């Protein structure tokens, strides 16, 4: 157990639908990151939050959005889903002074 | 962000020492070097992090030359369970904010054979 909790582990949904992925960071970590990993794209950075505020944006589509709540958990919202959105979505958190990221076990999203 | 270049794949045998080198020619003064390991369908796992010279922990060593334009992850006496993808990341880790959205490349697929 890495200390980063992601739910759900698996999600199957139809095209056009909207889903929410949830992440609880490791205790004490203020930064949360979302990554998407698909077979042909590798691990792509989507967005980072630090203590409730958006800190950095990567290759996140306009159909996707995220937020970090006062208790530091984060949610990634994916809407108007397309087949190509099928991927593993990872959440990671990090501490204040390096030590790298701690990743969760991911949510496998399948869009049918 | 500093761009990194790693071999796409490597193979070795159980019991051998494996060295994976990463090039990062445009590394900035404030950048750290971090290595991760990823197994299929799992999130990457932090292995080691360094700024210069040599860093060693219970699983690996990280060698960084004086010019910091490359780094080498050394895995001693590998086993079959070390078969995984290894990523080298370079970026700033500012106080008070963690690492700012470091991008993972394709990594090095290490295959260990019996």
């Amino acid at each position: 157990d890495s200390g980063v909790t992601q739910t759900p582990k698996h999600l199957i949904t139809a095209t056009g639908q909207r889903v929410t992925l949830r992440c609880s960071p490791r205790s004490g970590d203020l930064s949360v990151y979302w990554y998407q990993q698909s077979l042909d794209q590798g691990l792509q950075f989507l967005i980072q939050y630090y203590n409730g505020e958006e800190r950095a944006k990567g290759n996140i589509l306009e159909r996707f959005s995220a937020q970090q709540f006062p208790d530091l958990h984060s949610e990634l919202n994916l809407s108007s889903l397309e087949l190509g959105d099928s991927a593993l979505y990872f959440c990671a958190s990090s501490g204040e002074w390096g030590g790298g990221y701690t990743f969760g076990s991911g949510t496998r999203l399948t869009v049918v | 962000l500093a761009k990194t270049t790693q071999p796409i794949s490597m193979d070795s045998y159980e019991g051998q020492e494996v060295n994976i080198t990463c090039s990062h020619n445009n590394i900035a003064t404030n950048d750290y070097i971090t290595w991760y390991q990823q197994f299929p369908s799992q999130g990457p796992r932090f292995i080691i992090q360094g700024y210069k010279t040599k860093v060693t922990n219970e699983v690996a060593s990280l060698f960084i030359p004086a010019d910091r334009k490359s780094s080498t992850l050394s895995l001693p006496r590998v086993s079959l369970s070390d078969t995984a993808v290894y990523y080298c990341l370079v970026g700033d880790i500012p106080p008070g904010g963690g690492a700012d959205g470091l991008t993972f490349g394709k990594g090095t697929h290490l295959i260990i054979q019996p």
Side-chain angles (χ1 to χ4, degrees):
Chain A
D1 181 9
S2 68
V4 177
T5 304
Q6 288 189 249
T7 57
K9 290 192 182 304
H10 302 275
L11 196 50
I12 302 175
T13 189
T15 54
Q17 294 300 303
R18 181 180 190 275
V19 297
T20 298
L21 312 184
R22 192 179 193 279
C23 169
S24 294
R26 194 179 54 169
S27 178
D29 287 354
L30 301 181
S31 286
V32 169
Y33 311 80
W34 286 97
Y35 282 85
Q36 178 193 56
Q37 187 169 40
S38 53
L39 283 176
D40 58 345
Q41 292 293 327
L43 201 59
Q44 298 288 318
F45 167 66
L46 297 178
I47 197 164
Q48 176 198 1
Y49 280 83
Y50 174 72
N51 202 20
E53 299 292 325
E54 182 184 303
R55 179 73 178 259
K57 252 184 180 178
N59 301 319
I60 188 166
L61 300 173
E62 286 191 9
R63 300 183 285 110
F64 296 180
S65 64
Q67 54 184 327
Q68 186 180 27
F69 295 87
D71 67 353
L72 300 178
H73 91 271
S74 177
E75 293 181 355
L76 178 67
N77 301 298
L78 315 176
S79 62
S80 302
L81 285 168
E82 302 174 358
L83 296 177
D85 297 327
S86 296
L88 266 168
Y89 291 84
F90 290 107
C91 168
S93 69
S94 71
E96 295 295 281
W97 291 90
Y101 299 143
T102 300
F103 279 81
S105 57
T107 294
R108 182 174 291 280
L109 173 66
T110 303
V111 182
V112 296
Chain B
L1 296 175
K3 179 177 167 54
T4 60
T5 303
Q6 309 174 228
I8 294 173
S9 67
M10 295 178 64
D11 60 6
S12 186
Y13 294 92
E14 282 191 295
Q16 299 295 305
E17 177 184 76
V18 171
N19 296 310
I20 306 174
T21 296
C22 178
S23 297
H24 28 81
N25 291 319
N26 60 337
I27 188 169
T29 302
N30 294 334
D31 286 347
Y32 283 73
I33 300 154
T34 311
W35 285 80
Y36 293 84
Q37 174 193 57
Q38 186 181 27
F39 298 112
S41 297
Q42 295 184 26
R45 182 178 72 100
F46 172 88
I47 301 174
I48 197 165
Q49 185 176 75
Y51 183 80
K52 62 181 179 181
T53 63
K54 177 183 175 182
V55 181
T56 297
N57 62 22
E58 63 276 8
V59 298
S61 294
L62 178 59
F63 298 92
I64 305 167
D67 66 5
R68 304 203 324 124
K69 293 184 183 299
S70 67
S71 59
T72 299
L73 174 72
S74 180
L75 305 172
R77 296 180 300 282
V78 293
S79 64
L80 296 177
S81 63
D82 292 316
T83 294
V85 178
Y86 292 82
Y87 298 95
C88 162
L89 270 72
V90 173
D92 192 7
I93 307 176
D100 283 342
L102 296 182
T103 297
F104 288 69
K106 293 294 179 67
T108 298
H109 190 189
L110 175 65
I111 300 171
I112 304 301
Q113 303 180 51

